[in-house]
Amino acid sequence: MSTSGQHQFRYTQTPSKVLHLRNLPWECIEEELVELCKPFGKIVNTRCNVGANHNQAFVEFADLNQAINMATYFASSSEPAQVRGKTVYIQYSNRHEVVNNKGPGDVPGNVLLATIEGVEAGDVSIDVIHLVFSAFGFVHKVATFEKAAGFQALIQFSDVETASAARESLDGRSIPRQSLSPFYLWKYLLPDHVSSCNLRISYSAHRDLSIKFQSHRSRDYTNPYLPVNPSAIEGFVQPAVGPDGKIKEPESNVLLASIENMQYVVTVDVLHTVFSAFGTVQKIAIFEKNGGTQALIQYPDITTAAVAKDAIEGHCIYDGGYCKLHLSYSRHTDLNVKAFSDKSRDYTIPNSTVWQNSQTASMFPGNGFSGGGAGPTWYPNTQAGRPPFVSGPSTFPGQTYSQSSVPAYAAAADFSVMQPGQISGASQPPRQHNMGPGGASHPGQPPYNG
DNA sequence: AGCACA
């Protein structure tokens, strides 16, 4: 002690919340440092493998007193600090913060930067990106763009934790060619010519993306009132003006859906699922007209209706061309429907407990995607001739192959998103407000409740 | 065993 005191005397150390550690085992890892240091306080940063021998490190504590605690403890302890049996020498660093080896893309934030490798910008739609990332939590905004690195997207989550979970699970993975969603709309995620589609994900320095328009390049799922950029929508799904220059119908917050080739029963629940992908559905009414089935779907605003209309128009609810949807704007602006019947719903009436349970969580098309490629793919025409939805909500197809709870993306080679019906939330009101397609929540994260 | 720079 007196000798070491003399050494200390030669190298006068002013206390710092950064400690310098030396004589560490070669290529000591962060976890080993943390193990050694965390009893003394909160570690905010580390830097390992410093020096020619890779046997030095820096540890930064949140508080100076924590560093002092550690330094003085080992200075007077008969048991030296050790890592893997090697004595570690600890002093105050002559620096006051750790600058670590993390690049800018490694600094956690709530916005992710995804580079989608091996695709052209037009190959992966913003809806697919939204679907994939929504498995981890509510996606606030998405912006896509092309850079030298390729096709990229910024995905904004509520918080760092959600973004980190998504990054951990998705970085280096591929977007699967098709999901197992029974909803044809979300079944084929990639065009045929795309052979692989790797995701490289880092953190963006952005905290809040500025989205000017809802378009095929950018979406703000928190703001249904954001105007749709007509030029950006153009060529995305359906131009609003026909080739014959026909005057487009006046927009409305209520959509009229005609269901063509309705080989299977289309229930209010099914429509709610499909249309909720674009925003809050307020009311639905199903009726017969001219021997066909039609439905009115009411959104709170025109913008949401416009986005939904453009995205869904001409798509089929089921694979095989079944239940093809044709959409137009209704002249209605506020439907007068029964709160709960087999042909209508008013979701704006709170606490309609009769149907609430079936509405919560189990109604997202994105949830159908799963199983690491191993789960059964659901086709309406393989259900032993039985129409899929006749028995009501409990036979929602996503639940027909529900398995035990699996963490999202647990499978080795493919996507594995939790199954519908596994999100607990029987007490959640049906307010999957502004959820995009596949607005599934990660386990432990309740659906967004605006 | 004695302070990094990406």
Side-chain angles (χ1 to χ4, degrees), chain A residues 4 46 50 73 82 113 144 182 200 216 265 296 341 349 380 382 384:
Chain A
S4 72
T46 64
V50 169
Y73 175 85
Q82 289 191 329
L113 172 64
T144 64
R200 281 274 102 95
H216 67 301
V265 175
L296 290 163
S341 81
I349 296 179
T382 58

Side-chain angles (χ1 to χ4, degrees), chain A residues 284-301:
Chain A
I284 293 177
I286 298 176
F287 56 94
E288 302 293 319
K289 188 167 183 180
N290 303 330
T293 299
Q294 299 191 344
L296 290 163
I297 298 94
Q298 178 175 334
Y299 286 111
D301 56 275

Side-chain angles (χ1 to χ4, degrees), chain A residues 94 307 323 343 434:
Chain A
N94 52 29
V307 171
C323 306
K343 295 293 180 191
N434 297 326

Side-chain angles (χ1 to χ4, degrees), chain A residues 1-6 75-78:
Chain A
M1 300 207 193
S2 59
T3 51
S4 72
Q6 282 175 353
S76 60
S77 170
S78 55

